[in-house]
Structures are given as C-alpha cells and as structure tokens.
Amino acid sequence: MTANFVPSNQARYLRACMVCSIVQTQQRFIRDGCPNCEAFLDLTNHPDSVQECTSQVFEGLITLADPGQSWVAKWQRLDGYVAGVYAVKVVGSLPDEVQDNIEAAGVRRDGSAQDDDT
C-alpha cells in the first residue's frame, strides 16, 4: 500500500498528473507511469510525455489510504483511483493529441486543470 506515497525528502521533485491529480516524483512517473491513467497516457519510459502530462504547479495535498471508503475521495472525485497522494488543484493544460486520446478512452477529466475553452 505504501508504494504510492512519497517520502518527504523527495518534495522538490514532485509532479501531479493533469488527468487524475496523483502526485509522484518525476522519476516514478518515468519508471512506472501513472497508476490511474497509464492505459491512455503511456508515460512509462517516455520522459517527454511525463513533461507534457504532469505539472510541477499544484495546490494542496490529499493522502488517501482507502479511496473507496473516503468521503474526501468522493468529494474530490477520486474514489475510483488507487491509494496515494493527490493534488487538490493542478495547473496546466494537456496537448491536443493527449486530450483526443483521453476522449477516445472515454475518460472524463476531474476538472482540476483549467482549459482555455472556458
């Protein structure tokens, strides 16, 4: 269960996924991808994709040990995701081709990132 939690000495290397908001180190995104979004983001062993689909600019942290039972997870729409540390708000925008992949996969974004379309 502790696999998705980040040691405090790694804080300067943290990035948040712009789709699900999970927070991990950049190296972890490159090595393992996103535990929630890997099926359509394909971040594993793709540093350029990690740069495009994650952000160093995020606010607040939520630690979820049991997302299925947590009212905070339900409130933040994280109840279908793996246990871990999540950002409350992620700043950034995904490239158009990545947004197309997300739509093709039938995934709804959580709304934490603001798009220019609003």
Side-chain angles (χ1 to χ4, degrees):
M1 181 173 103
T2 60
N4 290 319
F5 296 93
V6 180
S8 60
N9 65 348
Q10 298 288 312
R12 73 170 42 193
Y13 307 107
L14 295 179
R15 298 184 72 85
C17 175
M18 284 193 253
V19 179
C20 72
S21 303
I22 195 162
V23 175
Q24 301 183 133
T25 62
Q26 180 173 358
Q27 283 306 109
R28 179 109 190 242
F29 274 116
I30 293 170
R31 186 184 71 229
D32 301 331
C34 177
N36 299 306
C37 309
E38 189 60 20
F40 50 88
L41 288 184
D42 192 30
L43 301 179
T44 304
N45 297 319
H46 295 106
D48 292 340
S49 295
V50 170
Q51 288 292 326
E52 293 177 343
C53 298
T54 64
S55 175
Q56 289 181 305
V57 183
F58 56 87
E59 297 176 16
L61 293 174
I62 299 170
T63 302
L64 296 176
D66 188 357
Q69 297 297 315
S70 169
W71 70 266
V72 174
K74 290 180 178 114
W75 181 262
Q76 292 293 124
R77 295 183 219 145
L78 301 172
D79 50 330
Y81 295 150
V82 300
V85 178
Y86 290 84
V88 174
K89 178 181 178 182
V90 181
V91 178
S93 58
L94 292 165
D96 291 338
E97 63 271 6
V98 173
Q99 291 182 26
D100 292 343
N101 289 345
I102 292 169
E103 289 174 15
V107 175
R108 289 181 45 102
R109 293 193 48 217
D110 67 2
S112 63
Q114 293 291 327
D115 290 334
D116 294 330
D117 300 343
T118 58

